[in-house]
Amino acid sequence: MVTAAHFGAGLFGTRYPRPRFAALPLPRYNFTMLALSSSFLGLSYLLTRWCGSVGFILANCFNMGVRITQSLWFIHRYYGRSPHRPLAGLYLSPALLGAFALSGGITSVSEVFLCCE
């Protein structure tokens, strides 16, 4: 549920800031990317030593989450005073959230009664 929204935001967000480099100071963007890459390297080293290959996957998930959040923040700031709301499409409808909850409930009940005696 959240992963699909993050994936969609990541696809849009990582491509979006590039055309606006004329208005943004490039050194600030480069510093942000350097900080994100450095934190990924450090975190992947620590988590890999602690959890093995799963730690590397966790570090990658954390890195992508931070990058997506940074991109969403950039888009939100860019359109802050505009009537356009490009991020509004990321909100999930109550019907879809209800379907997810119902599916999770049915799965949990079937796991208890039908799985692995």
Side-chain angles (χ1 to χ4, degrees):
M1 166 173 78
V2 175
T3 306
H6 283 152
F7 182 69
L11 285 178
F12 180 71
T14 56
R15 302 277 185 219
Y16 186 77
R18 295 176 194 251
R20 193 162 178 257
F21 273 154
L24 270 181
L26 188 57
R28 179 177 172 204
Y29 182 79
N30 285 341
F31 178 75
T32 302
M33 290 298 113
L34 178 67
L36 290 174
S37 297
S38 300
S39 67
F40 169 69
L41 287 174
L43 192 61
S44 64
Y45 176 76
L46 292 173
L47 288 177
T48 302
R49 289 184 53 89
W50 184 46
C51 299
S53 59
V54 174
F56 185 75
I57 294 169
L58 292 174
N60 197 17
C61 291
F62 177 78
N63 182 39
M64 289 308 298
V66 170
R67 286 178 183 258
I68 290 168
T69 302
Q70 191 264 341
S71 296
L72 289 173
W73 180 68
F74 174 85
I75 293 168
H76 179 73
R77 270 195 13 217
Y78 181 75
Y79 284 101
R81 296 176 190 237
S82 169
H84 304 290
R85 297 288 176 243
L87 299 177
L90 296 177
Y91 293 124
L92 300 177
S93 70
L96 182 61
L97 291 175
F100 285 150
L102 180 65
S103 171
I106 291 171
T107 303
S108 296
V109 169
S110 69
E111 183 178 4
V112 168
F113 291 112
L114 300 176
C115 180
C116 314
E117 294 184 45

